[in-house]
């Protein structure tokens, strides 16, 4: 036997001995204990199917969400599990302390239409305005087409501190924008009043399956908004739902078969599980009809929770630490984006008695979207307000 074989035989014997050693797999799921993050749980192992929002890291990747680009991408679910453990952010000092509203005055309205994500002016956009704040009406109070810089003027004007609604769209072929309805818009100050209205690019709408993981359904709509505090700043850490609220009983009837999605740094993000610091949210595939956008979360103070007409805190069985913190109302139109923000201070400062602020024609400016953030909505302190570039 040559020297090579004399050296090889002991090596082969050692390899056989090593491969013969049993590998521990306590739960019998096919994954060795030293690689299994839960060696006593057969449902958890590397490569297992991940179920987002169930609170279990099923595939041992350190997260409760599927890895982007993995096999679980098509199994993403609505991040509607109310599981935030942090109190909502923002200034809540005005809740229950808002002064009376002053009477509005009529004046000309100078509007500008901008793209929701890019803040670029939209030329040739069609605009309809309803002074009664009802965009379902057959007869709008004005209809306009924007100039090259996205502007238009309503000479007959609007009435300050009185909410109105708009519809923005284009009629180009192929379409450049997706029709957008906005309610609860209010202006204040010295005429002519100004306001930035949102337009959602058709390209943005077509990318929704990639950006939020939801395929838009024909005949349904998007119900979106932004939660803002007493200073007009975004509120984070809350969670949103779409339904109808009965203030007498506190009961909420949830809309059927919709999916809630959130944003991160103003961009739609399918892995964001609650309202981020930008305050944006959007319900996808909401059935047409009258709905409330409801914001839930852990309050900074229980006094901030909305109560029934009988004074009971409105809570949810989806998380015992949550209460209802705000809501807005809107009429969802089919095949459209519908915006109704949830505002702790639903009117511009100049609309409140004693404010002394008569030089702000449309409220505080929201740098994140280019539109005004102090527009009005329902008279309830926690109701909705103006237009916003929300998740579409």
């Amino acid at each position: 036997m040559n020297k090579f074989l004399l050296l090889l035989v002991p090596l082969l014997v050692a390899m056989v001995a090593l491969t013969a050693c049993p590998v521990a797999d306590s739960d019998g799921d096919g994954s060795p204990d030293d690689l299994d993050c839960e060696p006593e749980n057969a449902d958890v192992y590397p490569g297992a199917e991940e179920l987002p929002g169930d609170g279990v890291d099923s595939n041992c990747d350190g997260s409760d969400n599927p890895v982007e680009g993995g096999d679980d991408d098509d199994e993403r679910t609505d991040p509607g599990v109310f599981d935030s453990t942090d109190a909502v952010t923002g200034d809540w000092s005005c809740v229950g302390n808002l002064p009376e509203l002053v009477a509005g005055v009529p004046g000309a309205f100078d509007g500008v239409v901008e793209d929701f994500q890019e803040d670029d002016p939209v030329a040739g956009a069609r605009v309809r305005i309803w002074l009664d704040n009802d965009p379902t009406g057959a007869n709008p109070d004005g209809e306009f087409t924007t100039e090259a810089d996205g502007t238009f003027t309503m000479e007959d004007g609007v009435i300050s501190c009185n909410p109105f609604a708009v519809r923005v769209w284009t009629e180009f072929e192929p379409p450049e924008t997706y029709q957008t309805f906005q309610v609860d818009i209010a202006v204040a100050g010295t005429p002519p009043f100004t306001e930035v209205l949102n337009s959602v690019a058709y390209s943005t709408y077509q990318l929704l399956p990639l950006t939020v993981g939801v395929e838009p359904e024909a005949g349904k709509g998007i119900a979106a908004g932004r939660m803002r505090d007493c200073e007009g700043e975004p509120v984070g850490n809350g969670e949103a739902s779409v339904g109808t609220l009965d203030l007498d009983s506190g009961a909420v009837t949830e809309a059927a078969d919709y999916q809630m999605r959130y944003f991160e740094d103003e961009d739609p993000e399918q892995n964001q599980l609650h309202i981020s610091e930008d305050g944006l949210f959007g319900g996808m595939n909401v059935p047409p009809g009258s709905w409330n956008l409801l914001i839930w979360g852990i309050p900074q103070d229980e006094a901030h929770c909305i109560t029934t007409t009988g004074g009971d805190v409105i809570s949810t069985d989806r998380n015992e630490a949550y209460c209802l913190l705000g809501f807005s109302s809107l009429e969802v139109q089919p095949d459209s984006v519908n915006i109704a923000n949830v505002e702790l201070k639903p009117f511009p400062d100049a609309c409140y008695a004693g404010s002394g602020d008569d030089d702000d024609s449309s409220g505080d400016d929201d740098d994140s979207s280019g539109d005004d953030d102090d527009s009005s909505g329902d008279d309830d302190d926690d109701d909705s307000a103006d237009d916003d570039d929300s998740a579409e």
Side-chain angles (χ1 to χ4, degrees), residues 76-385:
R76 297 183 189 276
T77 60
D78 188 327
V81 178
F82 285 2
D83 56 1
S84 177
T85 57
D86 298 319
V88 292
T89 63
D91 181 348
W92 293 69
S93 60
C94 66
V95 175
N97 300 310
L98 289 176
E100 293 184 359
L101 293 171
V102 300
V105 295
F109 177 64
D110 291 337
V112 58
V113 175
E114 291 184 355
D115 179 74
F116 140 70
Q117 281 198 302
E118 303 299 331
D119 293 338
D120 294 330
V122 179
R126 300 289 299 279
V127 180
R128 287 180 180 171
I129 295 179
W130 291 264
L131 297 181
D132 63 359
N133 201 31
D134 181 7
T136 65
N139 300 309
D141 295 284
E143 184 166 343
F144 313 91
T145 301
T146 60
E147 304 293 338
D149 60 357
T151 62
F152 69 94
T153 297
M154 184 176 183
E155 296 291 352
D156 293 338
V158 300
I159 301 176
S160 65
C161 305
N162 283 258
F164 60 92
V166 303
R167 175 193 177 196
V168 177
W169 80 105
T170 58
E171 294 183 339
F172 305 131
E173 192 61 44
E176 292 186 3
T177 64
Y178 197 65
Q179 64 174 341
T180 303
F181 292 87
Q182 302 170 236
V183 298
D184 299 333
I185 304 170
V187 294
T190 304
F193 307 116
T194 62
E195 182 75 4
V196 175
L197 308 178
N198 296 298
S199 175
V200 178
Y202 199 71
S203 57
T204 299
Y205 176 79
Q206 289 179 310
L207 287 174
L208 287 176
L210 293 177
T211 57
V212 301
V214 178
E215 186 75 37
E217 296 181 22
K220 294 187 176 182
I222 297 173
R226 188 194 299 264
M227 177 70 173
R228 290 193 177 107
D229 68 7
C230 297
E231 295 297 324
E233 297 298 322
V235 172
N237 291 341
E239 303 203 47
S241 68
V242 181
T244 55
L245 171 65
D246 182 348
L247 278 174
D248 290 331
S249 66
V252 174
T253 302
E254 195 91 355
D257 301 326
Y258 78 96
Q259 292 180 293
M260 185 57 66
R261 288 294 184 265
Y262 302 109
F263 290 60
E264 186 174 5
D265 297 327
E266 305 287 328
D267 293 320
E269 174 51 60
Q270 58 183 316
N271 291 324
Q272 182 65 32
L273 299 181
H274 54 77
I275 299 175
S276 69
E277 294 180 356
D278 59 23
L280 294 168
F281 57 89
M284 309 292 298
N285 294 327
V286 177
S290 299
W291 299 105
N292 296 120
L293 290 175
L294 305 115
I295 304 298
W296 308 85
I298 300 175
Q300 297 177 12
D301 188 306
E302 188 172 315
H304 301 156
C305 298
I306 293 179
T307 61
T308 65
T309 52
D312 297 322
V313 170
I314 299 177
S315 57
T316 173
D317 56 9
R318 295 163 68 177
N319 189 322
E320 62 182 11
Y322 280 24
C323 70
L324 182 63
L325 294 169
F327 67 91
S328 59
S329 303
L330 77 170
E331 187 77 21
V332 173
Q333 307 287 331
D335 302 313
S336 66
V337 176
N338 305 267
I339 301 172
N341 296 330
V342 180
E343 308 268 355
L344 298 183
K345 192 175 186 180
F347 291 87
D349 287 342
C351 291
Y352 294 99
S355 68
D357 182 8
D358 59 0
D359 60 355
D360 181 1
S361 63
S362 56
D364 298 330
D365 184 61
D366 178 2
D367 295 336
S368 66
S369 63
D371 70 321
D372 283 293
D373 62 359
D374 282 344
S375 303
S376 77
D378 303 323
D379 287 344
D380 182 79
D381 290 349
D382 295 283
D383 273 8
S384 70

